Amino acid sequence: MKMMNVAPSSGLALSLPWTAAERWGALYVVEGSRLGGAVLEKHTGREFPTAYLSMKHRPGSWAETLDELDKESAGQGAEWHEACISGAVAAFCLFETAGRRELEPQLG
């Protein structure tokens, strides 16, 4: 945040029981956000900071993550998959909360 000349906000808590399935769901979102960041970086003006957006995967690592997730989820029941989705939703909500916390004061 220093490069943007703003003070970092206080941390956000993400509270889940954090089962393995929930961690996989959150990992999917965090790792997938790198792909989205790479797309956004191409459309972001040069006057804006893009350091976070430019954090790309090393070649093949996204595919490896998906392969590992497939292996981990193989043979798991509906409960495991629901927990995985819950972890993903929690990670999305954390991103949203952080964004709103930073933007709302500026938007009024």
Side-chain angles (χ1 to χ4, degrees), residues 98-108:
R100 286 183 186 278
R101 182 182 282 188
E102 293 301 320
L103 290 176
E104 284 177 351
Q106 298 169 29
L107 299 175

Side-chain angles (χ1 to χ4, degrees), residues 42-89:
K42 293 176 186 175
H43 302 287
T44 302
R46 294 182 187 260
E47 70 274 18
F48 297 105
T50 59
Y52 175 74
L53 297 176
S54 63
M55 301 214 32
K56 296 172 183 68
H57 292 100
R58 66 175 169 67
S61 67
W62 176 243
E64 290 171 10
T65 299
L66 295 179
D67 287 345
E68 290 299 316
L69 177 56
D70 285 344
K71 288 177 194 171
E72 189 69 26
S73 65
Q76 300 288 354
E79 186 175 308
W80 192 94
H81 289 93
E82 288 171 15
C84 187
I85 291 168
S86 292
V89 169

Side-chain angles (χ1 to χ4, degrees), residues 22-38:
E22 289 165 322
R23 289 191 305 268
W24 274 105
L27 177 69
Y28 179 87
V29 170
V30 171
E31 290 297 310
S33 73
R34 289 185 185 186
L35 295 175

